[in-house]
Every structure is written in C-alpha cells, then in structure tokens.
Amino acid sequence: MDFYRDTKRHYWQCGQCDLVFVGQEFLLSASKEKAEYDLHENDIFDQGYRRFLNRLAQPLLEIITPPAKGLDFGCGPGPALQDMLQSAGFEMDIYDIFYAPHKAVFDRYYDFITATEVVEHLHNPHWELDRLWSRVNPQGVLAIMTKRVQSQAAFATWHYKNDLTHVCFFSESTFRWLAKQWGATLTFPAADVVLLQKP
C-alpha cells in the first residue's frame, strides 16, 4: 500500500510484513550503488566504527561461544567486524557483492551470520534473507543491524530514508513476521539490532 512520497521517491508498505520499500524504478544501477559505497570511510582500525559495530557484537557474544564459525554478510571494503570476531576466537568468512564476492559462502553452513547496515540496501530482501537463514545451523543466529521504521509520521523527517542506496526499511513488526515465518526466537537488544535464533 502507499506509505509515503517525497520529492525523490515513492515508498510502499507490504500489507503482510510491514516492510517499507521503494519501487523498482528507484533502484540504483550496480555502478552507481558502488560509487556511493566507495565514498564510505570504514577503516577497520577506527575505534569509533568498532564501537558502533560493538552494539551488535556484544549481545551476539553473549549467546555464541568459540569455536563457532561465522559469516559477515555485506562486510564492505573494511571488514572490521570480521577482525573483531576473529580476535574473540571465531572463524570468520566474509561476503560482499562488491568488495568480497565469494559466492562459495552460500554453499556452507554457519553458527552465526552478521549483517550490519546492509539489509536496507537489498533489492530483493525476502529472497536474500531466506538465503541467509538457510545457511544458519540449528541453534545458530542471524544478527542484523539496521535502523527501524517507527511510524509514518517519523518516517517523513527520517534522515535514513534520504540515502538513495537505502531501498527497504524494516520495523519491529517486519522482524516479528520474519521470526514467525522461520520459527525463530527473536530479541531486540538495541534500537537498531535484532537477533534471530534457530530452534
């Protein structure tokens, strides 16, 4: 259904899962999308960036223990989270469609998968998230960091939607729908972090 319009884009909302998303006509080409990401300065050793990622890492580390094996999906050009989790004793693979396109990761299974500030960029989120979930071992965890839609009124002034590479926007109800579909245990340890655990 129609959710919101501004001068740049038209946003829709799924009647089933409440995901807010833009239409196909607003999806950037791969070259334009990568050009935007190339502007990001995610230094692997930047302490501020590592503190930011720790909002997901800390609650995840409370429920997983070495020698669990993980995948950092959408790691970007500076895979700081991989470094952080390897330092904590975990074996880590990485994948990024532009910077680490190691498709073999989708033939493997993981005790946990992280996706920090990436799901809002997905052009086909349902398919991608189902694919990730299928790679999670029993009792494993899919850990996602993304800012969440609060309300239609708040969306109107939300800076997060102004990034043209952000094309889908999740809310608590979207994650609750996903958890129900997957039979997952769901927790919200932070305002922008969600953990989904397999039975």
Side-chain angles (χ1 to χ4, degrees):
M1 64 180 181
D2 198 344
F3 186 75
Y4 182 75
R5 294 172 190 254
D6 59 24
T7 57
K8 293 180 181 176
R9 301 191 290 182
H10 183 189
Y11 306 83
W12 302 88
Q13 186 173 44
C14 176
Q16 274 194 310
C17 70
D18 290 338
L19 182 77
V20 175
F21 59 95
V22 301
Q24 292 282 327
E25 67 272 26
F26 298 110
L27 300 179
L28 299 183
S29 66
S31 59
K32 287 184 178 178
E33 196 174 357
K34 184 177 183 295
E36 285 295 318
Y37 302 148
D38 286 344
L39 299 175
H40 294 184
E41 296 182 7
N42 294 342
D43 180 351
I44 189 171
F45 300 113
D46 181 88
Q47 291 305 308
Y49 184 47
R50 290 170 82 95
R51 279 193 301 274
F52 169 73
L53 293 174
N54 203 46
R55 297 216 302 269
L56 177 140
Q58 196 56 49
L60 178 62
L61 288 170
E62 291 173 9
I63 56 174
I64 60 168
T65 54
K69 182 171 182 177
L71 168 67
D72 185 16
F73 174 80
C75 62
L81 189 58
Q82 176 197 30
D83 183 70
M84 291 164 64
L85 293 170
Q86 282 182 164
S87 297
F90 299 95
E91 183 183 345
M92 292 295 298
D93 286 344
I94 57 172
Y95 176 83
D96 189 285
I97 192 171
F98 296 118
Y99 303 105
H102 313 308
K103 293 183 179 178
V105 301
F106 300 111
D107 296 325
R108 302 172 189 152
Y109 292 92
Y110 295 93
D111 301 308
F112 64 95
I113 296 177
T114 60
T116 57
E117 293 293 317
V118 63
V119 297
E120 64 275 8
H121 301 280
L122 299 178
H123 290 192
N124 192 344
H126 190 273
W127 180 81
E128 288 281 15
L129 290 172
D130 273 347
R131 178 167 70 156
L132 289 180
W133 188 246
S134 75
R135 301 292 96 194
V136 177
N137 284 325
Q139 286 85 54
V141 179
L142 175 59
I144 296 172
M145 175 185 280
T146 187
K147 290 183 171 32
R148 297 198 287 265
V149 176
Q150 300 299 319
S151 68
Q152 207 167 5
F155 192 87
T157 58
W158 197 26
H159 71 93
Y160 205 61
K161 74 177 186 317
N162 298 333
D163 183 334
L164 297 183
T165 67
H166 292 179
V167 297
C168 55
F169 307 90
F170 295 73
S171 63
E172 278 200 14
S173 58
T174 309
F175 288 119
R176 291 187 194 285
W177 183 87
L178 270 176
K180 186 175 180 181
Q181 296 298 305
W182 292 340
T185 301
L186 175 70
T187 55
F188 296 105
D192 56 354
V193 174
V194 57
L195 303 179
L196 295 124
Q197 187 165 18
K198 271 198 176 177

